[in-house]
Amino acid sequence: MVRIVFRDDAGNAAEIEARAGQSLMESAKAAGIAGIEAECGGSMVCATCQVYVAPDWVERLPPASAMEAEMVEYTRHPRPTSRLSCQITVTPELDGLEVTTPPSQR
């Protein structure tokens, strides 16, 4: 299992154990993390699973695809560290990953 820390925009933290091979979005939904709506179920058409990746983790993730980067541009609260959690696959190397959910997904 891979330890992931989710913070909400108020700074409250929830640590989950995620399965390698799942998307970060699937792991968040399974753990009941508030702030991850994921209306499209991971097909990258709604961008309601946006997270802000902690700065020290940004370079350790595979880069966003062009399509993901474009979808992030249409989110309500984009930041330079924004990613779609449906596009991040949990791997053992992500143990300790910290992400924050935006104030809202719409």
Side-chain angles (χ1 to χ4, degrees):
M1 298 300 277
V2 180
R3 185 179 62 87
I4 308 287
V5 177
F6 284 85
R7 295 187 191 286
D8 63 21
D9 66 308
N12 301 307
E15 185 175 306
I16 70 167
E17 295 288 324
R19 284 196 179 122
Q22 280 190 321
S23 73
L24 189 58
M25 179 271 301
E26 291 169 320
S27 300
K29 293 296 284 182
I33 296 296
I36 302 291
E37 294 179 18
E39 289 182 356
C40 69
S43 59
M44 200 171 39
V45 296
C46 71
T48 60
C49 67
Q50 176 188 198
V51 294
Y52 308 129
V53 177
D56 57 328
W57 280 94
V58 171
E59 295 299 320
R60 299 197 284 184
L61 292 176
S65 68
M67 186 172 179
E68 179 185 355
E70 184 175 342
M71 289 300 298
V72 165
E73 288 180 28
Y74 295 104
T75 62
R76 185 170 182 181
H77 306 281
R79 293 185 185 167
T81 62
S82 291
R83 293 290 305 267
L84 299 181
S85 61
C86 68
Q87 298 303 299
I88 299 172
T89 301
V90 175
T91 64
E93 294 77 25
L94 297 185
D95 191 58
L97 173 65
E98 294 187 26
V99 297
T100 302
T101 56
S104 68
Q105 294 286 359
R106 301 169 209 246

